Amino acid sequence: MGKLLSMFLLNMKLKVRHSFFVLILLCLAACTPTELKYPPITEDFCSQLPAAAPVKLSDYLAPYDALLTTKTGVHSLEEGDVSMITRAWLTEAAEQTIDIQYFIFSTDNIGLIAADFLLGAADRGVKIRIIVDDIMVEAEEDDLLAMDAHPNLEVKIYNPNANIGKNLPGKLLSLATDFQGFNQRMHNKTFIVDQQVVITGGRNIADEYFDYDHEYNFRDRDVLLVGKKVSDVQQSFDLFWDSKLSVPVGELAEVTDEELNLDVKYAYLHQYACNPENFWPEVREKAKQVPTEFQKAQASGSLVWTDSVQFISDLPGKNDGSQGLAGGGVATDSLVSLIRRAKSSILIQSPYLITTEVSQQLFKAAVDRGVTVKILTNSLSSTDNLEAFSGYQRDREKLLEAGVKIYEFKPDAAVRFEVMTGALQKKMDFTPVFGLHAKSMVIDDDIAVIGTFNLDPRSANLNTECIAVIYDRKVTADLRQAMEVDIRPENAWETTLDFNPDSEAGRAKQFKVWLRGVMPKSIL
């Protein structure tokens, strides 16, 4: 049993700097005293904010009514700060519904402010549904139940066999008796407002995805979709919401009214979000400018209206487990088909690059028919996941021998000055480590892919994933330009059969990766 638990703790895609605390989080989630979590409010920050004029999403979408039913507006969100404030503005502008689906929803600064914005929307009568995967829920049960207690807000936990509502013996039993099911996670990331606008892509809800972490931040990417194809994303969300794998949090955990303590928790969240030390005034002001930036994107052509967009999502449960830890999925099949159809070039960004014989042959076949294949992934210096890097390191040479050009992201990539526009990083002089988290692909000159899919067995076979596939030359050209910047020498090392940058990470990190070499790639 101890061996199984160790394997699980090692293989999950957890942030390296937190890996030693995973067992504590799983086993002692209810040990934080309420008085420490919710200290007394000594100042009313919210009363100090100027009254905000109400905004309605429908007012801003009205000029595009003729386009919304026939085309889809596409706009890439390259900057973490912009992606964050866009979510904030959309939450404030929502009129009817907000549907949210995430692998990670942290209770850090970004997560707490997001929770307050959602409660504010719920107070206005907006119906909100949230699905979060069980394995990476960092919130405590009483906090989840407090959110769920709002009459306009519902919370469900996907595949709750690892965390919420389970004590340590229950978690170990689930791991030992259903290893495949235990490892099946929901990696989809969607943020849908009024069934008209959606943000999907690589970002979870946590500081490091929006440039607000003090130690480590991600170079990530989302895509904003407006109009016709949002209905496909909505249908996918509804499938997950209605799935038996998505369980209301109230059926998994119980707390007393005293523990629920709604008035104290709601008041604390609201004051936390109003506190200028947590949500800086310049960031709040920047969020108000989202409609103006949207109009600029429309005028400049960076918001592209097209009738050729696909949203592809795995089904809840991914596969039935009849093939063990294999089995594939809808997203996997779609990406394989795109790669097989490539005629001239394939450009990929994936933070984790763990190949199997099948994927190695897939890329070799592309190279053999004259397709240039370039892949950017994390270096040992920039990675947040030593287990994943170990899997990549074992087969790096095979990919190079097949003719694949590999680039490894630098932890101090110069591009961070362009895409990390958050006020915090400017204040910190961009000192945190910068790692790759974007999952994107460009095929030839007319296909762009932005989504949640990592090039690894976990995304291929276990995690549910979703991707937006855009068949448009302008969107493809813009995405290619952004991705090619990331592989320039100031941002990435080119790895060859004669050189790799592993030594740049130092001997200690190299040794840690070597220790993880015993783990089977199928669970990475």
Side-chain angles (χ1 to χ4, degrees), residues 403-430:
V404 175
K405 296 181 182 295
I406 299 177
Y407 301 83
E408 299 187 18
F409 205 57
K410 291 183 176 180
D412 58 350
V415 74
R416 72 190 190 279
F417 296 110
E418 299 175 27
V419 298
M420 295 175 68
T421 57
L424 176 64
Q425 295 310 318
K426 293 176 182 178
K427 181 179 180 180
M428 297 181 65
D429 196 26
F430 301 88

Side-chain angles (χ1 to χ4, degrees), residues 173-442:
L173 180 63
S174 179
L175 175 63
T177 58
D178 186 15
F179 187 76
Q180 192 262 358
F182 194 93
N183 276 277
Q184 277 201 330
R185 309 315 324 171
M186 182 192 72
H187 201 234
N188 297 49
K189 304 169 183 69
T190 59
F191 183 94
I192 312 166
V193 179
D194 289 347
Q195 301 186 37
Q196 294 288 327
V197 182
V198 64
I199 296 175
T200 186
R203 292 184 176 96
N204 291 292
I205 303 300
D207 287 351
E208 58 268 31
Y209 298 94
F210 301 97
D211 310 338
Y212 278 86
D213 195 87
H214 291 255
E215 299 175 10
Y216 185 101
N217 288 280
F218 286 120
R219 195 287 185 251
D220 215 330
R221 179 177 293 109
D222 290 322
V223 63
L224 176 76
L225 303 176
V226 186
K228 183 178 179 180
K229 281 298 175 178
V230 175
S231 62
D232 290 356
V233 187
Q234 187 69 60
Q235 289 174 17
S236 172
F237 178 90
D238 290 342
L239 279 176
F240 277 86
W241 184 262
D242 294 334
S243 170
K244 64 181 180 180
L245 289 170
S246 298
V247 182
V249 68
E251 295 181 11
L252 300 171
E254 293 183 4
V255 294
T256 64
D257 290 341
E258 183 179 1
E259 291 171 317
L260 202 57
N261 209 0
L262 292 181
D263 290 342
V264 169
K265 290 177 179 176
Y266 288 179
Y268 175 82
L269 264 182
H270 198 40
Q271 291 297 331
Y272 182 95
C274 291
N275 188 333
E277 293 184 3
N278 301 323
F279 196 0
W280 293 358
E282 55 265 46
V283 179
R284 190 181 294 275
E285 188 60 34
K286 192 175 180 181
K288 296 177 182 177
Q289 304 306 314
V290 167
T292 302
E293 295 303 315
F294 185 84
Q295 292 170 354
K296 289 180 180 179
Q298 169 77 0
S300 69
S302 62
L303 172 65
V304 177
W305 292 92
T306 176
D307 56 5
S308 299
V309 177
Q310 281 184 295
F311 179 78
I312 299 167
S313 175
D314 288 315
L315 299 174
K318 187 87 169 194
N319 55 62
D320 61 8
S322 60
Q323 299 182 53
L325 296 179
V330 178
T332 306
D333 293 344
S334 299
L335 289 173
V336 168
S337 176
L338 288 172
I339 291 171
R340 284 179 174 160
R341 286 154 45 194
K343 297 179 177 65
S344 61
S345 64
I346 301 170
L347 179 59
I348 297 173
Q349 286 184 337
S350 177
Y352 317 117
L353 178 57
I354 306 170
T355 56
T356 63
E357 185 175 345
V358 172
S359 55
Q360 290 161 19
Q361 288 301 316
L362 182 67
F363 290 124
K364 185 178 186 304
V367 173
D368 288 347
R369 65 177 185 269
V371 176
T372 300
V373 180
K374 297 180 180 180
I375 303 176
L376 173 65
T377 192
N378 274 308
S379 64
L380 181 55
S381 298
S382 69
T383 189
D384 68 317
N385 191 317
L386 295 181
E387 294 75 42
F389 191 88
S390 170
Y392 156 65
Q393 191 180 54
R394 294 174 223 175
D395 289 324
R396 178 167 51 191
E397 190 170 310
K398 291 180 181 178
L399 280 175
L400 292 167
E401 289 174 343
V404 175
K405 296 181 182 295
I406 299 177
Y407 301 83
E408 299 187 18
F409 205 57
K410 291 183 176 180
D412 58 350
V415 74
R416 72 190 190 279
F417 296 110
E418 299 175 27
V419 298
M420 295 175 68
T421 57
L424 176 64
Q425 295 310 318
K426 293 176 182 178
K427 181 179 180 180
M428 297 181 65
D429 196 26
F430 301 88
T431 53
V433 172
F434 199 37
L436 180 70
H437 197 260
K439 305 104 168 24
S440 305
M441 183 183 302
V442 169

Side-chain angles (χ1 to χ4, degrees), residues 77 79-89 110 113 199 203 209-210 212 222 279 283 287:
L77 298 172
E79 304 167 27
D81 184 60
V82 172
S83 195
M84 183 268 290
I85 63 173
T86 301
R87 285 171 169 86
W89 185 86
I110 290 292
I113 293 172
I199 296 175
R203 292 184 176 96
Y209 298 94
F210 301 97
Y212 278 86
D222 290 322
F279 196 0
V283 179

Side-chain angles (χ1 to χ4, degrees), residues 18-229:
H18 290 167
S19 60
F20 295 106
F21 302 107
V22 174
L23 186 59
I24 296 174
L25 287 172
L26 289 175
C27 303
L28 303 177
C31 296
T32 305
T34 301
E35 60 270 20
L36 295 181
K37 286 174 56 183
Y38 303 102
I41 298 170
T42 58
E43 186 174 355
D44 185 0
F45 297 105
C46 297
S47 66
Q48 301 171 23
L49 294 176
V55 292
K56 293 183 178 181
L57 181 60
S58 59
D59 291 342
Y60 292 93
L61 293 181
Y64 309 99
D65 277 348
L67 291 169
L68 293 175
T69 57
T70 60
K71 293 183 181 294
T72 303
V74 180
H75 180 62
S76 178
L77 298 172
E78 300 287 331
E79 304 167 27
D81 184 60
V82 172
S83 195
M84 183 268 290
I85 63 173
T86 301
R87 285 171 169 86
W89 185 86
L90 286 170
T91 303
E92 289 193 316
E95 299 173 70
Q96 301 174 22
T97 60
I98 300 176
D99 289 330
I100 297 174
Q101 185 178 16
Y102 281 103
F103 178 57
I104 299 172
F105 199 126
S106 295
T107 53
D108 55 12
N109 187 56
I110 290 292
L112 291 175
I113 293 172
D116 179 67
F117 269 62
L118 290 171
L119 284 170
D123 286 343
R124 299 195 313 271
V126 177
K127 300 295 184 182
I128 299 172
R129 298 184 294 177
I130 302 173
I131 314 173
V132 183
D133 187 83
D134 184 47
I135 197 71
M136 292 293 282
V137 175
E138 294 184 9
E140 296 181 15
E141 292 173 358
D142 61 304
D143 295 330
L144 292 169
L145 289 167
M147 291 288 287
D148 186 69
H150 194 290
N152 290 326
L153 202 155
E154 298 177 80
V155 178
K156 287 189 177 183
I157 307 298
Y158 182 84
N159 197 13
N161 55 9
N163 193 358
I164 300 301
K166 281 188 166 49
N167 55 22
L168 179 57
K171 295 166 186 174
L172 294 175
L173 180 63
S174 179
L175 175 63
T177 58
D178 186 15
F179 187 76
Q180 192 262 358
F182 194 93
N183 276 277
Q184 277 201 330
R185 309 315 324 171
M186 182 192 72
H187 201 234
N188 297 49
K189 304 169 183 69
T190 59
F191 183 94
I192 312 166
V193 179
D194 289 347
Q195 301 186 37
Q196 294 288 327
V197 182
V198 64
I199 296 175
T200 186
R203 292 184 176 96
N204 291 292
I205 303 300
D207 287 351
E208 58 268 31
Y209 298 94
F210 301 97
D211 310 338
Y212 278 86
D213 195 87
H214 291 255
E215 299 175 10
Y216 185 101
N217 288 280
F218 286 120
R219 195 287 185 251
D220 215 330
R221 179 177 293 109
D222 290 322
V223 63
L224 176 76
L225 303 176
V226 186
K228 183 178 179 180
K229 281 298 175 178

